[in-house]
Amino acid sequence: MAMQTKAAARWIDRAIVAVLLLMGLLMLMPFFWLFSMSFRPAAEAYRMPPSFFPPNLDFSNYRAVLESSVPFLQIYWNSLYVAVLATIGQLVTCTLAAFAYARLRFPGRDGLFFVMLFGLMFPAQVTILPIYLGYAKLGLLNNPMGLVLMGLTSSFGVFMLRQFLRSQPRELEEAALMDGASYNKIFWRISLPQLRPALAALAIITFTGAWNAYFQPRALIEGQQNMTLPLAMDVLRGYMGQGNLSIVMAAMSMTILPVVLLFLIAQKAVIEGVTMSGIRG
């Protein structure tokens, strides 16, 4: 009876794995189609019925992107500049704020935390007008630095790291306090090392969000020299989508590649950080 139960459990596990593999392949199909289209000539891209595999690996579309009138390499640098600085800023500010909310006691702590969480209810469209007017006075319109300033901190990042810290045992910190350690030393020596999985998850979430952001750059950036990649896709598509589809797909392939590689490298840290970050209040 026990042998039959184990055999049935193995078949169930195999069935679950097979279903998950099928779902994974279905999720990868759009990416496969994207890369496949980027190696086709324009006429091949509209052939009916479509074929999943390109007739040959033609890199002319990638060369056309780099040689087009759109300064693609400069735009690529702009996106990298904004995403990296915003990620570093959030790692610093959110970590410090999360430690204060999770471990320090000060008047109005819970009220301030509630106000911060209340801000998560408002979409970006609500706040873009005052940001636009403020940037116009400060001379930050049409400047990638304006996008960086918008992403230097995040209520979601503070909440995520706070919940992660609250889920960690406090015995080491309490022992350090009894030994006379300052909060500064406790933060650097004890709390920060515990936050590594959550920091890795926050870094990837922040980088991906800044890299793919469209609404704020569309509202604040105009010239092609200061654009980010999502805006460049619109330029390459042309008016009413009249651009070369294969060239647009080649540009998109180069656009998503850093994010995909980053996630594949750090997916274990992302899953661990998000899972452990805070279901507990």
Side-chain angles (χ1 to χ4, degrees):
M1 189 68 179
M3 295 287 293
Q4 293 178 351
T5 303
K6 290 182 179 180
R10 282 197 298 269
W11 279 108
I12 292 174
D13 291 341
R14 291 172 184 172
I16 292 174
V17 171
V19 171
L20 291 176
L21 285 175
L22 178 61
M23 293 176 63
L25 289 174
L26 291 175
M27 292 180 65
L28 288 175
M29 286 301 295
F31 296 99
F32 176 80
W33 182 253
L34 172 67
F35 285 105
S36 175
M37 291 284 287
S38 69
F39 292 109
R40 304 167 187 259
E44 179 70 18
Y46 293 99
R47 194 183 73 172
M48 295 299 292
S51 61
F52 283 102
F53 297 96
N56 51 62
L57 296 181
D58 185 2
F59 289 89
S60 61
N61 294 321
Y62 291 88
R63 186 167 58 251
V65 172
L66 299 178
E67 295 175 354
S68 68
S69 58
V70 179
F72 191 79
L73 292 179
Q74 176 62 43
I75 294 172
Y76 213 95
W77 165 252
N78 293 340
S79 288
L80 191 64
Y81 171 81
V82 171
V84 170
L85 290 185
T87 301
I88 294 174
Q90 286 204 25
L91 291 180
V92 174
T93 59
C94 294
T95 303
L96 294 173
F99 178 78
Y101 282 124
R103 293 294 189 253
L104 304 183
R105 296 185 180 276
F106 54 88
R109 183 190 65 174
D110 294 338
L112 288 174
F113 186 71
F114 175 79
V115 171
M116 184 198 70
L117 291 182
F118 188 71
L120 289 173
M121 300 180 185
F122 298 97
Q125 290 80 357
V126 174
T127 59
I128 194 63
L129 182 57
I131 291 174
Y132 183 91
L133 296 176
Y135 277 12
K137 292 183 179 180
L138 295 174
L140 289 174
L141 289 179
N142 202 30
N143 188 339
M145 180 52 68
L147 302 177
V148 174
L149 293 177
M150 292 178 61
L152 286 182
T153 191
S154 163
S155 298
F156 168 77
V158 175
F159 173 76
M160 176 180 172
L161 297 181
R162 171 191 179 266
Q163 296 301 99
F164 188 92
L165 268 179
R166 286 172 61 90
S167 68
Q168 302 302 305
R170 302 188 59 172
E171 286 77 8
L172 289 176
E173 298 172 2
E174 292 172 352
L177 277 174
M178 293 178 64
D179 290 339
S182 64
Y183 278 111
N184 184 46
K185 182 174 291 187
I186 291 173
F187 172 76
W188 287 104
R189 298 290 182 86
I190 301 176
S191 298
L192 193 59
Q194 292 179 353
L195 279 171
R196 286 176 183 172
L199 288 175
L202 179 61
I204 301 225
I205 293 170
T206 303
F207 185 91
T208 304
W211 186 266
N212 294 329
Y214 179 83
F215 177 72
Q216 292 89 344
R218 170 57 66 191
L220 303 174
I221 302 294
E222 294 180 4
Q224 290 187 5
Q225 289 293 332
N226 299 312
M227 281 183 176
T228 54
L229 286 169
L231 302 185
M233 297 302 105
D234 275 354
V235 177
L236 288 172
R237 281 195 311 155
Y239 179 69
M240 297 292 290
Q242 295 178 354
N244 188 317
L245 180 61
S246 296
I247 293 178
V248 175
M249 291 298 183
M252 288 184 177
S253 300
M254 290 188 284
T255 298
I256 68 171
L257 195 57
V259 178
V260 172
L261 291 177
L262 186 62
F263 180 78
L264 290 177
I265 292 170
Q267 61 177 326
K268 183 177 180 180
V270 172
I271 295 171
E272 182 182 358
V274 172
T275 303
M276 297 177 64
S277 64
I279 311 298
R280 252 174 42 172

